[in-house]
Amino acid sequence: MPPRVVSLVPSLTEAIAVSVPGALVGATDWCTHPAGLDVTRVGGTKNPRPGSVLALAPDLVIANEEENREEDLAALREAGVEVLVTEVRDVPRALRELDRVVTACGARTRPRWLDEAERTWTELPPPGQRTTAVVPIWRRPWMVLGRDTFAGDVLARLGVDHLYAGHPDRYPRIGLEELRAAAPDLVVLPDEPYRFTPEDGPEAFPGLRCALVSGRHLTWYGPSLTQAPRVLAEALRGVPR
């Protein structure tokens, strides 16, 4: 029998569910994949309900140093629950952490999707040209990708260099006027964590090319990694000049 697992990270929830059926007993309200996932919901990534987690008597809780708050994880450890905390800052680390997670959750063999994801990214051809971008991930206030982020590494491997990669903060707050003045080749607008849409986002950047992209393929590390290069490249290529 696999261990009883609660996942507090949406992308890792998907990875566990498809790799070790029956292991997951709980997940956050934001865990939307795979479709129809039937487990107990334990709150949000930033505000899980410890009582709901403990009531499931998990053998293991899966977390992430960026997605989850240390005080919540500490409370679970103090209650005697083992917590596995992942750290993902680039694609190679994501692949290693995914292997570690599914193994800890009881996978007897390496999942086929993980092998496919590793091949996809390892064999990715060098981009023909490079593009500069700003990548908002929130508005009110405006926040963008900064240094040392998984999404930034994904874009860099696709030929997109975001202009705040050298900022001291990982997700800096930058005023809209400064973002416009940076004059990027492209503004990349994902649909999560903030849900940018054709009507909500591009209007803030008149005169700049805007690409609406799948947040799941840009920010999730899991089975979506197998399709991410193709899905994102199509969205980025489809922006009119």
Side-chain angles (χ1 to χ4, degrees):
M1 289 289 291
R4 294 173 60 82
V5 178
V6 172
S7 173
L8 302 181
V9 187
S11 57
L12 295 178
T13 295
E14 181 180 20
I16 298 163
V18 302
S19 304
V20 196
L24 276 176
V25 294
T28 76
D29 300 339
W30 299 105
C31 294
T32 57
H33 289 73
L37 180 65
D38 184 18
V39 297
T40 299
R41 302 296 174 160
V42 298
T45 57
K46 303 296 186 188
N47 56 347
R49 298 184 295 274
S52 297
V53 175
L54 296 175
L56 293 169
D59 300 303
L60 181 65
V61 170
I62 302 295
N64 174 262
E65 50 92 27
E66 180 176 86
E67 293 258 13
N68 310 117
R69 302 186 308 168
E70 175 54 35
E71 54 262 44
D72 295 322
L73 306 183
L76 293 172
R77 292 190 189 97
E78 289 171 8
V81 177
E82 181 180 355
V83 180
L84 186 159
V85 181
T86 57
E87 181 179 315
V88 176
R89 304 290 178 92
D90 55 33
V91 173
R93 183 62 181 267
L95 296 168
R96 293 194 298 271
E97 289 287 64
L98 284 163
D99 199 356
R100 183 166 75 106
V101 165
V102 297
T103 298
C105 292
R108 296 184 178 181
T109 59
R110 199 168 191 259
R112 184 175 301 175
W113 65 261
L114 187 51
D115 288 335
E116 182 183 346
E118 186 161 22
R119 282 195 304 272
T120 296
W121 285 97
T122 301
E123 298 172 3
L124 193 68
Q129 61 181 16
R130 304 205 69 83
T131 301
T132 62
V134 295
V135 190
I137 51 100
W138 203 259
R139 68 183 302 177
R140 306 182 193 94
W142 287 93
M143 299 173 67
V144 299
L145 291 186
R147 65 169 180 85
D148 198 22
T149 65
F150 171 74
D153 186 57
V154 166
L155 289 172
R157 291 169 187 272
L158 298 175
V160 178
D161 300 313
H162 69 94
L163 295 178
Y164 292 92
H167 196 281
D169 298 330
R170 296 186 66 210
Y171 300 99
R173 296 184 179 189
I174 307 293
L176 183 56
E177 291 304 318
E178 181 179 333
L179 294 179
R180 292 169 176 164
D185 298 323
L186 191 63
V187 179
V188 179
L189 298 169
D191 60 9
E192 63 175 82
Y194 185 91
R195 187 173 180 79
F196 289 106
T197 68
E199 295 75 33
D200 186 357
E203 84 291 342
F205 300 95
L208 293 176
R209 297 166 59 223
C210 293
L212 292 159
V213 303
S214 163
R216 176 169 173 260
H217 291 95
L218 178 61
T219 65
W220 285 35
Y221 29 89
S224 57
L225 280 172
T226 60
Q227 299 92 26
R230 175 183 56 80
V231 171
L232 293 171
E234 287 177 357
L236 295 168
R237 281 198 305 266
V239 181
R241 291 188 177 275

mmCIF file of all heavy atoms in Angstrom, residues 19 26 35 55 72 77 100 113 123 153 177 204 212 227 232:
data_model
loop_
_atom_site.group_PDB
_atom_site.id
_atom_site.type_symbol
_atom_site.label_atom_id
_atom_site.label_comp_id
_atom_site.label_asym_id
_atom_site.label_seq_id
_atom_site.Cartn_x
_atom_site.Cartn_y
_atom_site.Cartn_z
ATOM 1 N N SER A 19 0.848 9.343 -11.030
ATOM 2 C CA SER A 19 1.982 8.423 -10.896
ATOM 3 C C SER A 19 1.759 7.350 -9.853
ATOM 4 O O SER A 19 2.271 6.228 -9.998
ATOM 5 C CB SER A 19 3.251 9.212 -10.537
ATOM 6 O OG SER A 19 3.502 10.224 -11.476
ATOM 7 N N GLY A 26 -5.570 13.928 0.364
ATOM 8 C CA GLY A 26 -5.952 15.323 0.540
ATOM 9 C C GLY A 26 -5.145 16.230 -0.361
ATOM 10 O O GLY A 26 -4.019 15.906 -0.755
ATOM 11 N N ALA A 35 -8.334 16.369 -13.760
ATOM 12 C CA ALA A 35 -9.762 16.672 -13.671
ATOM 13 C C ALA A 35 -10.478 15.563 -12.910
ATOM 14 O O ALA A 35 -10.174 14.377 -13.063
ATOM 15 C CB ALA A 35 -10.343 16.821 -15.072
ATOM 16 N N ALA A 55 -6.608 15.412 10.357
ATOM 17 C CA ALA A 55 -7.733 14.483 10.413
ATOM 18 C C ALA A 55 -7.606 13.362 9.393
ATOM 19 O O ALA A 55 -8.206 12.290 9.559
ATOM 20 C CB ALA A 55 -9.046 15.233 10.195
ATOM 21 N N ASP A 72 3.093 27.115 8.686
ATOM 22 C CA ASP A 72 2.112 26.038 8.518
ATOM 23 C C ASP A 72 2.804 24.683 8.511
ATOM 24 O O ASP A 72 2.324 23.716 9.114
ATOM 25 C CB ASP A 72 1.322 26.226 7.217
ATOM 26 C CG ASP A 72 0.464 27.479 7.230
ATOM 27 O OD1 ASP A 72 -0.102 27.790 8.285
ATOM 28 O OD2 ASP A 72 0.364 28.141 6.183
ATOM 29 N N ARG A 77 4.739 19.549 11.363
ATOM 30 C CA ARG A 77 5.853 18.756 11.908
ATOM 31 C C ARG A 77 5.704 18.594 13.419
ATOM 32 O O ARG A 77 5.965 17.514 13.968
ATOM 33 C CB ARG A 77 7.192 19.438 11.589
ATOM 34 C CG ARG A 77 7.559 19.441 10.116
ATOM 35 C CD ARG A 77 9.003 19.917 9.951
ATOM 36 N NE ARG A 77 9.349 20.152 8.555
ATOM 37 C CZ ARG A 77 9.324 21.348 7.969
ATOM 38 N NH1 ARG A 77 8.973 22.425 8.680
ATOM 39 N NH2 ARG A 77 9.658 21.480 6.716
ATOM 40 N N ARG A 100 12.055 12.717 -6.842
ATOM 41 C CA ARG A 100 12.109 12.524 -5.383
ATOM 42 C C ARG A 100 10.705 12.417 -4.792
ATOM 43 O O ARG A 100 10.438 11.565 -3.931
ATOM 44 C CB ARG A 100 12.864 13.689 -4.738
ATOM 45 C CG ARG A 100 13.044 13.571 -3.231
ATOM 46 C CD ARG A 100 14.068 14.554 -2.728
ATOM 47 N NE ARG A 100 13.592 15.913 -2.669
ATOM 48 C CZ ARG A 100 13.277 16.555 -1.534
ATOM 49 N NH1 ARG A 100 13.367 15.912 -0.372
ATOM 50 N NH2 ARG A 100 12.877 17.810 -1.562
ATOM 51 N N TRP A 113 5.785 9.644 -17.989
ATOM 52 C CA TRP A 113 5.676 11.070 -18.324
ATOM 53 C C TRP A 113 6.909 11.840 -17.882
ATOM 54 O O TRP A 113 7.296 12.828 -18.521
ATOM 55 C CB TRP A 113 4.410 11.684 -17.727
ATOM 56 C CG TRP A 113 4.361 11.732 -16.222
ATOM 57 C CD1 TRP A 113 3.720 10.863 -15.392
ATOM 58 C CD2 TRP A 113 4.993 12.702 -15.368
ATOM 59 N NE1 TRP A 113 3.918 11.222 -14.075
ATOM 60 C CE2 TRP A 113 4.686 12.351 -14.032
ATOM 61 C CE3 TRP A 113 5.772 13.831 -15.614
ATOM 62 C CZ2 TRP A 113 5.139 13.078 -12.946
ATOM 63 C CZ3 TRP A 113 6.239 14.565 -14.522
ATOM 64 C CH2 TRP A 113 5.920 14.191 -13.211
ATOM 65 N N GLU A 123 16.361 17.658 -25.101
ATOM 66 C CA GLU A 123 16.553 17.692 -26.551
ATOM 67 C C GLU A 123 16.006 18.969 -27.185
ATOM 68 O O GLU A 123 15.975 19.089 -28.412
ATOM 69 C CB GLU A 123 15.877 16.468 -27.182
ATOM 70 C CG GLU A 123 16.471 15.149 -26.706
ATOM 71 C CD GLU A 123 15.680 13.934 -27.167
ATOM 72 O OE1 GLU A 123 14.684 14.127 -27.917
ATOM 73 O OE2 GLU A 123 16.044 12.816 -26.777
ATOM 74 N N ASP A 153 13.330 30.495 -15.916
ATOM 75 C CA ASP A 153 14.196 29.523 -16.588
ATOM 76 C C ASP A 153 13.474 28.879 -17.762
ATOM 77 O O ASP A 153 14.072 28.664 -18.827
ATOM 78 C CB ASP A 153 14.655 28.453 -15.590
ATOM 79 C CG ASP A 153 15.668 27.494 -16.197
ATOM 80 O OD1 ASP A 153 16.718 27.966 -16.670
ATOM 81 O OD2 ASP A 153 15.396 26.278 -16.210
ATOM 82 N N GLU A 177 4.443 52.373 -14.931
ATOM 83 C CA GLU A 177 5.190 53.280 -15.787
ATOM 84 C C GLU A 177 6.606 52.764 -16.045
ATOM 85 O O GLU A 177 7.128 52.870 -17.164
ATOM 86 C CB GLU A 177 5.230 54.686 -15.179
ATOM 87 C CG GLU A 177 3.890 55.401 -15.182
ATOM 88 C CD GLU A 177 3.297 55.493 -16.577
ATOM 89 O OE1 GLU A 177 4.057 55.769 -17.537
ATOM 90 O OE2 GLU A 177 2.079 55.274 -16.723
ATOM 91 N N ALA A 204 -3.083 47.655 -20.485
ATOM 92 C CA ALA A 204 -2.148 48.425 -19.664
ATOM 93 C C ALA A 204 -0.824 48.689 -20.381
ATOM 94 O O ALA A 204 -0.012 49.470 -19.894
ATOM 95 C CB ALA A 204 -1.884 47.692 -18.354
ATOM 96 N N LEU A 212 -0.558 36.242 -24.297
ATOM 97 C CA LEU A 212 -1.311 35.571 -23.238
ATOM 98 C C LEU A 212 -0.931 34.092 -23.262
ATOM 99 O O LEU A 212 -1.069 33.423 -24.289
ATOM 100 C CB LEU A 212 -2.811 35.750 -23.466
ATOM 101 C CG LEU A 212 -3.305 37.191 -23.284
ATOM 102 C CD1 LEU A 212 -4.632 37.408 -23.990
ATOM 103 C CD2 LEU A 212 -3.443 37.519 -21.805
ATOM 104 N N GLN A 227 4.327 18.975 -22.383
ATOM 105 C CA GLN A 227 3.758 19.805 -23.451
ATOM 106 C C GLN A 227 4.198 21.261 -23.382
ATOM 107 O O GLN A 227 3.963 22.025 -24.322
ATOM 108 C CB GLN A 227 2.225 19.768 -23.397
ATOM 109 C CG GLN A 227 1.587 18.416 -23.585
ATOM 110 C CD GLN A 227 1.352 17.715 -22.265
ATOM 111 O OE1 GLN A 227 1.204 18.370 -21.240
ATOM 112 N NE2 GLN A 227 1.324 16.396 -22.289
ATOM 113 N N LEU A 232 3.817 26.790 -25.024
ATOM 114 C CA LEU A 232 4.303 28.150 -24.806
ATOM 115 C C LEU A 232 4.884 28.745 -26.085
ATOM 116 O O LEU A 232 4.652 29.923 -26.392
ATOM 117 C CB LEU A 232 5.348 28.160 -23.693
ATOM 118 C CG LEU A 232 4.819 27.824 -22.299
ATOM 119 C CD1 LEU A 232 5.975 27.651 -21.320
ATOM 120 C CD2 LEU A 232 3.851 28.889 -21.794
#
